[in-house]
Amino acid sequence: MPCKSREPSRAVPCGALPAAALGLRLLVLSAALGAGAVRAQPPPFPFRDPSLPWQRRLDDLLSRLSPAELVLQVARGGAMGNGPAPPIPRLGIAPYNWNTECLRGDGEAPGWATAFPQALGLAAAFSPELIYRVANATATEVRAKHNSFAAAGRYSDHTGLSCFSPVLNIMRHPLWGRNQETYGEDPFLSGELARSFVQGLQGQHPRYVKASAGCKHFSVHGGPENIPVSRLSFDAKVLERDWRMTFLPQFQACVRAGSYSFMCSYNRINGVPACANKKLLTDILRGEWGFDGYVVSDEGAVELIMLGHHFTRSFLETAVASVNAGCNLELSYGMRNNVFMRIPQALAMGNITLQTLRDRVRPLFYTRMRLGEFDPPAMNPYSSLDLSVVQSPEHRNLSLEAAVKSFVLLKNVRGTLPLRAQNLSSQHLAVVGPFADNPRVLFGDYAPVPEPRYIYTPRRGLEMLGANVSFAAGCSEPRCRQYSRAELVKVVGAADVVLVCLGTGVDVETEAKDRSDLSLPGHQLELLQDAVQAAAGRPVILLLFNAGPLDVSWAQAHDGVGAILACFFPAQATGLAIARVLLGEAGASPAGRLPATWPAGMHQVPPMENYTMEGRTYRYYGQEAPLYPFGYGLSYTTFRYRDLVLSPPVLPLCANLSVSVVLENTGLRDSEEVVQLYLRWEQSSVPVPRWQLVAFRRVAMLAGQEAKLSFQVLAEQRAVWAQDWRLEPGTFTLFAGGQQPGQKTRAPSEVLSARFSVTGTTRPLRTC
């Protein structure tokens, strides 16, 4: 393991420099003297000497481990009886559990934790800065709880510091059950948010990592879960071009951000299981991208190489295939006698070398070293974090802010929104639907569990506004198989404003559960139609709680629905965020944008098991317009774009492009705008997207304010895949605005465009 930082912008003191070594030794001395010692005692083993370089410490530690001890370290990735990695008492090494979920808070861990909005909602905020803060707050709570667990000797699942997060799979199909865990359908957006998440989770300390990130599921993974076939045996057949241009870029961004681990996925890729795929785990991940961390299997994925894919004939053969391909750690279905426990037999037969086994263990202990496990606790500021930081006011406020920023206003006619606060005290609000007052359905999967007193349903949040709020569920659960029309009509008929809360939830879409169509579940559409009829012209606002797109074409077209707000799964602050946005309070004007296309119907949805990108996502969509396009969202104010300038207008092949544009808030309300830049190739020797997001920025603008914004489009963003990444000369168009160009469903602001040309001779990107 090279002695280097995983944060490229930071130099990491690792003991090689005399000054750094001296400082570290003084810290150790200080810690020892603090206990009343006359002199500092030398560390018992060199791997515990913090003044030594990481490389030297790892060499020492690995040299002390027997083959049997090495095997147990790679065979105990966690999940029920499969973890923790066992202690090594003779070296004073404690157990360690690798199985921790940190998607948007300390998920599934014992005890309370702040629950931030589900990942897809966070992506809708189009804010890397927000993602960074959410990830950093998550790491703070994960670290604090880990400190408490370790002090109590608890090493069960979800007590460690190594996170199986973020999820970077592309939302390539609207019915996939795990869309909610992703950052949407665009590889550039996903990559930018991945970078922020990884850096936020791991923190900015030059030596220690607060919690380590792990990007998943690697790779070409995005359904099916169970429709029409099982994910546990699925073969994703992908063109090399689509693999490189859609399914891999965001994972490379994760490597560049400094992630400590990757998780290989369940599926095969062109016939080879991901967790036994040398091209993926060694040639691309380590060879091309320079990754030096560890690869952990998805839970049971190594076992499924034989049991699901029938790629191997025995667990022994499976161990050889996966270890030699580049898998470091087995996360099994709770099996003690799992696949990696066959490694000793493979060593004896010469099918795995002892050096390869040491190489697989090395990044595991490097990660633990960077987390501070083998240094004096006094050296690591994260060691002092305690449970007082969990669910802190700052974290609860951030959860609320994140929810507010995630909402996307899809429809707003006749000034339906915002509501007028001065009118509320004399009005009756009806809050109806299966999502109106059911805390369980507002979180999505892999959710942290906050104290109930911090959970605000739509009903609870709106009751805090001072209005007279009445409630009717209509359906008791999201599948809405039984519907009470009379209950609903009675409540709606007496209201001045009606809020209808519909959606999906984990009952309908989640891991191992795909949807079969785009429809609102069960009787939900009927519930909405009855609410509109009973409202008899009074305002009806539709609030949607879902991940995968829903067919709400009836609501979009019908005059009786005045506004539609996409809320995703906002988690604990749902009701508070809704109340703020409905009133348009300061800092709560909706500015989220859709991170994925919403099709106009199932006729626009290709088969899930077909992995070509044709007809999928905005980059390759068909000729017919979707219901709502990627990047779409309305505002309570209006924006104007002008003075788009590209510099220079003629570029050398390897040069970057500078872009500036003037944005003006022409409305009467302070708000935020998401500025989006798209690139179109006018000539290309190979198929390319019709256009590609290349820059974005969420900008706060006061009413009447204007600002000149600057961006840079890198040369590599013009690269195309043709057996290698290469740059080509030609003409390109750059679009700038608050949305995609040429959309049928669009915000009122314009989209500017300008052309630039690139000169030179085609050459590989790596030569620039």
Side-chain angles (χ1 to χ4, degrees):
M1 181 68 61
C3 181
K4 68 179 184 181
S5 171
R6 289 178 179 273
E7 298 177 35
S9 63
R10 284 174 156 68
V12 176
C14 45
L17 299 176
L22 176 61
L24 288 169
R25 289 186 186 277
L26 287 173
L27 278 171
V28 176
L29 175 64
S30 174
L33 290 175
V38 174
R39 66 181 66 181
Q41 298 300 315
F45 303 108
F47 76 83
R48 291 190 175 275
D49 184 347
S51 68
L52 294 177
W54 303 119
Q55 182 87 356
R56 287 266 307 278
R57 298 176 70 180
L58 286 165
D59 287 343
D60 176 70
L61 173 54
L62 291 169
S63 72
R64 299 176 187 278
L65 301 181
S66 68
E69 289 169 330
L70 292 168
V71 168
L72 284 174
Q73 293 301 313
V74 298
R76 296 289 178 254
M80 302 173 285
N82 180 234
I88 306 174
R90 64 188 179 83
L91 299 179
I93 295 175
Y96 187 79
N97 200 301
W98 297 96
N99 180 17
T100 298
E101 300 287 354
C102 315
L103 190 60
R104 35 48 183 272
D106 192 8
E108 304 189 4
W112 309 120
T114 306
F116 299 97
Q118 178 59 299
L120 190 64
L122 292 175
F126 273 72
S127 174
E129 181 269 343
L130 178 67
I131 292 277
Y132 179 95
R133 291 162 56 210
V134 167
N136 196 256
T138 295
T140 296
E141 297 199 1
V142 168
R143 172 66 78 158
K145 292 173 70 172
H146 168 78
N147 291 344
S148 176
F149 294 140
R154 296 181 64 181
Y155 298 99
S156 57
D157 282 351
H158 312 299
T159 61
L161 293 169
S162 298
C163 297
F164 299 156
S165 313
V167 174
L168 299 184
N169 302 114
I170 291 298
M171 187 175 167
R172 54 172 283 279
H173 197 281
L175 304 180
W176 182 37
R178 302 188 78 172
N179 282 325
Q180 61 183 281
E181 300 174 43
T182 77
Y183 291 143
E185 69 182 31
D186 182 72
F188 175 73
L189 173 64
S190 297
E192 290 295 288
L193 300 184
R195 174 180 54 79
S196 289
F197 184 95
V198 169
Q199 293 177 349
L201 191 77
Q202 296 183 171
Q204 297 297 317
H205 194 278
R207 180 175 180 85
Y208 297 113
V209 173
K210 189 183 288 188
S212 65
C215 298
K216 65 182 187 184
H217 309 83
F218 194 56
S219 166
V220 199
H221 184 74
E225 292 289 300
N226 67 326
I227 300 176
V229 296
S230 170
R231 63 183 177 155
L232 306 182
S233 58
F234 180 68
D235 185 10
K237 295 182 172 65
V238 62
L239 297 172
E240 184 81 13
R241 181 176 61 251
D242 286 338
W243 195 7
R244 297 288 185 160
M245 295 194 72
T246 296
F247 297 109
L248 289 180
Q250 64 278 17
F251 284 103
Q252 185 174 15
C254 185
V255 172
R256 290 174 173 174
S259 177
Y260 276 72
S261 74
F262 270 58
M263 176 181 281
C264 51
S265 52
Y266 284 124
N267 54 286
R268 279 172 283 163
I269 303 169
N270 295 331
V272 182
C275 293
N277 197 310
K278 180 179 178 295
K279 177 177 179 178
L280 179 71
L281 303 184
T282 296
D283 299 346
I284 295 175
L285 180 59
R286 293 181 168 97
E288 294 182 24
W289 298 349
F291 179 69
D292 56 9
Y294 66 92
V295 174
V296 59
S297 71
D298 205 339
E299 187 177 349
V302 169
E303 299 148 46
L304 287 162
I305 291 170
M306 182 186 83
L307 300 176
H309 297 289
H310 308 294
F311 185 76
T312 53
R313 293 163 294 180
S314 67
F315 273 7
L316 171 61
E317 187 181 344
T318 305
V320 172
S322 54
V323 170
N324 286 335
C327 188
N328 301 73
L329 185 64
E330 181 179 359
L331 175 66
S332 82
Y333 285 125
M335 294 177 64
R336 303 294 289 177
N337 190 23
N338 59 6
V339 170
F340 277 17
M341 292 302 288
R342 271 58 175 188
I343 292 175
Q345 187 178 353
L347 289 171
M349 297 171 64
N351 293 323
I352 296 174
T353 68
L354 185 58
Q355 185 57 50
T356 296
L357 179 58
R358 287 197 180 102
D359 290 343
R360 296 295 175 263
V361 173
R362 191 178 197 89
L364 301 178
F365 278 111
Y366 177 71
T367 301
R368 292 171 68 171
M369 283 185 179
R370 291 299 299 272
L371 288 165
E373 181 176 342
F374 303 121
D375 285 3
M379 291 179 60
N380 183 357
Y382 303 135
S383 297
S384 63
L385 289 172
D386 60 32
L387 296 179
S388 67
V389 302
V390 178
Q391 300 188 116
S392 66
E394 292 79 10
H395 291 179
R396 300 199 310 271
N397 289 337
L398 179 58
S399 180
L400 172 58
E401 178 189 347
V404 166
K405 289 186 172 180
S406 72
F407 293 168
V408 181
L409 185 62
L410 300 176
K411 178 183 179 181
N412 192 27
V413 297
R414 300 183 302 277
T416 301
L417 293 177
L419 302 177
R420 290 149 188 82
Q422 62 269 28
N423 297 339
L424 287 180
S425 60
S426 61
Q427 288 184 328
H428 287 73
L429 268 61
V431 186
V432 302
F435 289 79
D437 198 35
N438 183 349
R440 181 184 68 84
V441 299
L442 302 172
F443 284 77
D445 63 9
Y446 289 96
V449 180
E451 288 185 63
R453 61 179 169 146
Y454 297 136
I455 301 174
Y456 290 83
T457 64
R459 178 187 184 182
R460 185 184 177 197
L462 291 166
E463 284 175 342
M464 299 185 67
L465 295 179
N468 187 340
V469 176
S470 55
F471 159 73
C475 311
S476 60
E477 43 81 30
R479 284 170 291 191
C480 203
R481 291 175 292 198
Q482 295 182 334
Y483 166 48
S484 174
R485 181 179 185 276
E487 173 196 24
L488 177 99
V489 169
K490 179 180 179 181
V491 168
V492 171
D496 298 298
V497 178
V498 180
L499 294 104
V500 182
C501 305
L502 305 179
T504 56
V506 296
D507 293 353
V508 176
E509 57 176 337
T510 189
E511 183 174 2
K513 185 182 295 183
D514 297 318
R515 291 185 297 153
S516 58
D517 57 44
L518 296 167
S519 302
L520 286 162
H523 293 280
Q524 285 192 30
L525 178 58
E526 181 183 352
L527 185 158
L528 174 63
Q529 292 170 337
D530 288 343
V532 170
Q533 183 178 17
R538 294 184 295 276
V540 174
I541 300 160
L542 174 59
L543 305 178
L544 295 174
F545 302 88
N546 60 292
L550 288 167
D551 182 357
V552 290
S553 52
W554 184 87
Q556 177 66 22
H558 200 285
D559 286 343
V561 179
I564 305 175
L565 190 68
C567 303
F568 304 94
F569 297 124
Q572 68 182 59
T574 296
L576 295 176
I578 287 170
R580 291 199 63 200
V581 170
L582 292 183
L583 290 177
E585 292 181 359
S589 177
R593 302 293 181 256
L594 288 181
T597 306
W598 285 34
M602 282 299 296
H603 64 286
Q604 294 184 348
V605 179
M608 195 184 298
E609 66 271 30
N610 182 341
Y611 262 77
T612 63
M613 287 306 298
E614 183 178 354
R616 299 178 189 277
T617 77
Y618 79 92
R619 299 163 73 230
Y620 302 97
Y621 214 73
Q623 295 303 308
E624 187 179 355
L627 178 63
Y628 302 118
F630 171 91
Y632 169 74
L634 302 174
S635 174
Y636 290 162
T637 189
T638 55
F639 294 97
R640 176 176 174 244
Y641 289 82
R642 59 180 172 83
D643 300 339
L644 175 62
V645 177
L646 310 185
S647 179
V650 179
L651 284 175
L653 196 71
C654 294
N656 300 329
L657 177 72
S658 295
V659 181
S660 68
V661 67
V662 174
L663 171 67
E664 182 182 2
N665 181 346
T666 55
L668 301 178
R669 287 180 170 269
D670 302 344
S671 189
E672 293 176 311
E673 168 75 326
V674 175
V675 183
Q676 303 167 43
L677 271 57
Y678 294 88
L679 177 73
R680 183 171 69 196
W681 292 259
E682 299 299 338
Q683 307 102 14
S684 176
S685 65
V686 296
V688 292
R690 61 176 179 176
W691 46 70
Q692 166 68 52
L693 183 71
V694 290
F696 63 90
R697 187 175 305 155
R698 184 166 177 141
V699 183
M701 299 286 290
L702 301 176
Q705 180 186 14
E706 66 175 48
K708 182 178 180 180
L709 306 174
S710 298
F711 302 86
Q712 190 172 65
V713 179
L714 303 179
E716 68 180 58
Q717 294 179 282
R718 292 185 271 107
V720 298
W721 180 263
Q723 310 308 315
D724 193 1
W725 286 109
R726 70 185 190 189
L727 292 169
E728 298 180 337
T731 303
F732 298 82
T733 301
L734 195 287
F735 300 95
Q739 58 199 320
Q740 285 185 67
Q743 299 303 301
K744 179 180 178 182
T745 304
R746 60 192 307 277
S749 62
E750 60 279 283
V751 177
L752 307 180
S753 66
R755 286 197 171 189
F756 66 98
S757 59
V758 174
T759 61
T761 305
T762 298
R763 62 189 290 184
L765 175 63
R766 65 179 182 277
T767 66
C768 284

